[in-house]
Amino acid sequence: METTRKILQSDCSFGGVSPLMLPFPYPPLKVQEQNQFYVNLLTVDYCGSVSELTAITQYIQGESCMCCEHCAQARTLIGIAMAEMIHLQKLGEMIMLLGGQIDYAVPTRSGKSQMWTPAYIEFESKLPAILSANIEAEKAAINQYEQHMKMIEDSCINAVLARIVQDEEYHIMLLRMM
């Protein structure tokens, strides 16, 4: 008696997927001077609860849940995650220019550091909930960037953050279209 096994596989192919971002360049990565306060703000954007690291991980988790049934949407999430990786890289470079370090920990008011954790991710598994969670996360990121730009008196840093905000707004538009 022969048992027939069914092979399950995803038909999604991510070859040729590019970062989904607006088609114009980022300002040069430079800072006016080293500044620990700015390091702390950008570290929150880098690896805090609302951060590029959280966004990347949440997009990848959502893509994994969608890849078997919603390939086109999964490809879009991968493209957005790739753009978020570029944002993460730019923030990391500015943190280093400002005299900081990358250790995936955000300084807290108590003086201790809070390490990045997957608890920051909205673990959704169905398309509407995944899209909604990511729209809300993008809105929160925009709000946080805008707050940080008001606190940072360095036009070079703020120009990069404003350019990142434009990509986040573009991501909201893409997610709403899905």
Side-chain angles (χ1 to χ4, degrees):
M1 181 169 161
E2 187 176 311
T3 305
T4 304
R5 288 189 177 170
K6 184 177 181 183
I7 296 175
L8 302 175
Q9 68 183 34
S10 171
D11 290 330
C12 282
S13 167
F14 297 109
V17 175
S18 299
L20 289 173
M21 51 205 303
L22 294 172
F24 48 90
Y26 285 84
L29 297 179
K30 56 185 179 178
V31 300
Q32 293 173 353
E33 62 187 5
Q34 292 190 345
N35 183 311
Q36 187 60 47
F37 178 67
Y38 297 168
V39 166
N40 293 348
L41 291 175
L42 295 183
T43 299
V44 170
D45 298 326
Y46 188 88
C47 64
S49 60
V50 175
S51 69
E52 297 298 336
L53 184 59
T54 300
I56 292 163
T57 310
Q58 185 164 306
Y59 279 116
I60 297 297
Q61 186 272 338
E63 176 278 325
S64 296
C65 293
M66 293 169 42
C67 68
C68 294
E69 297 178 24
H70 304 283
C71 190
Q73 291 88 345
R75 288 174 58 86
T76 299
L77 291 189
I78 288 293
I80 294 173
M82 292 168 73
E84 304 295 2
M85 289 177 202
I86 291 168
H87 299 165
L88 185 76
Q89 182 277 327
K90 294 190 179 308
L91 290 170
E93 202 167 314
M94 287 193 298
I95 289 167
M96 298 302 291
L97 289 170
L98 287 163
Q101 62 181 6
I102 304 300
D103 60 5
Y104 300 96
V106 176
T108 63
R109 291 182 182 150
S110 69
K112 293 183 178 182
S113 292
Q114 171 66 46
M115 293 294 294
W116 183 87
T117 171
Y120 296 153
I121 300 167
E122 292 293 327
F123 288 98
E124 301 295 346
S125 61
K126 300 294 182 198
L127 179 60
I130 290 168
L131 298 177
S132 179
N134 284 313
I135 288 169
E136 291 309 310
E138 293 285 3
K139 287 179 183 179
I142 291 167
N143 183 51
Q144 182 170 284
Y145 280 126
E146 289 173 346
Q147 288 178 3
H148 288 176
M149 286 188 293
K150 290 176 185 172
M151 300 167 77
I152 293 173
E153 295 177 3
D154 182 323
S155 60
C156 302
I157 296 169
N158 282 337
V160 174
L161 297 181
R163 175 62 184 84
I164 290 172
V165 165
Q166 291 174 325
D167 281 342
E168 307 300 19
E169 291 169 340
Y170 178 59
H171 296 160
I172 290 172
M173 182 197 73
L174 293 172
L175 293 165
R176 284 183 174 154
M177 287 174 36
M178 285 197 285

